[in-house]
Amino acid sequence: AAVLFADGYFQHYLHGVFFDEDLFAKTVLKRPTKEEFLAIRNTEQRAAIISQWGITTVLECLERTVLDTKFLICNRHAHDADFRVLGEVFEIILDQTPLRYILVECTSTHKRTMLCVERTEQTTTYEGARAWTFGLSTEDFLTGLVHET
């Protein structure tokens, strides 16, 4: 329990987000199952669980259709060897609603995250979805992109 009172009353929190005892036991004290994760309706609780267990847990919970993948070669520092970063565009069905996401990875922290993108022809490719997040056409994005820092 994050907060325990003298009379025995307690409350559970993760990253400042309240969880009832049952949900805390199912999703914080142990890695949640697909059903347990998808049953969480509160978006702050979902975000806290993602922070706790990582984006990989979420991706394993989702039945997704991958539309495009892209390996990017990045160089963090002049003395480091190049490394590959995976980018991905995928769709999921959530509450009977199709949603499209782009999976990106920060080249400096290696933190992976998924961003919701509009379902258009442009966002069916990794480059197009990435351009969409900047409000650019795919062509403008690709011709203007020199180096990501």
Side-chain angles (χ1 to χ4, degrees):
V3 179
L4 177 61
F5 295 92
D7 65 358
Y9 176 75
F10 56 89
Q11 294 180 340
H12 296 285
Y13 291 87
L14 176 63
H15 303 296
V17 178
F18 174 77
F19 285 76
D20 65 42
E21 185 175 6
D22 183 54
L23 186 58
F24 190 84
K26 288 180 181 177
T27 61
V28 178
L29 296 180
K30 68 176 188 69
R31 189 174 177 178
T33 65
K34 171 187 171 181
E35 293 76 20
E36 290 166 342
F37 179 78
L38 293 177
I40 300 170
R41 306 309 307 161
N42 183 304
T43 57
E44 288 182 334
Q45 290 173 332
R46 277 190 183 181
I49 295 301
I50 292 169
S51 179
Q52 171 80 2
W53 294 105
I55 196 72
T56 302
T57 296
V58 177
L59 294 175
E60 290 172 357
C61 287
L62 300 174
E63 293 178 17
R64 66 189 195 277
T65 302
V66 176
L67 303 177
D68 191 29
T69 58
K70 183 81 172 183
F71 279 100
L72 307 172
I73 298 182
C74 302
N75 186 291
R76 286 185 293 171
H77 307 288
H79 63 276
D80 286 347
D82 289 341
F83 65 96
R84 294 168 57 139
V85 176
L86 172 67
E88 183 177 281
V89 177
F90 62 91
E91 288 189 343
I92 63 168
I93 306 293
L94 190 60
D95 293 332
Q96 300 178 352
T97 303
L99 301 170
R100 185 172 295 168
Y101 289 89
I102 180 172
L103 176 66
V104 295
E105 181 174 324
C106 176
T107 57
S108 60
T109 65
H110 301 289
K111 180 181 177 186
R112 297 172 74 197
T113 191
M114 47 193 247
L115 307 171
C116 192
V117 296
E118 193 173 271
R119 294 181 73 233
T120 65
E121 183 65 32
Q122 177 186 9
T123 61
T124 59
T125 66
Y126 178 77
E127 290 91 350
R130 197 160 166 223
W132 182 89
T133 67
F134 290 98
L136 298 172
S137 71
T138 306
E139 182 180 337
D140 288 345
F141 178 75
L142 292 175
T143 58
L145 183 64
V146 176
H147 181 72
E148 180 180 334
T149 58

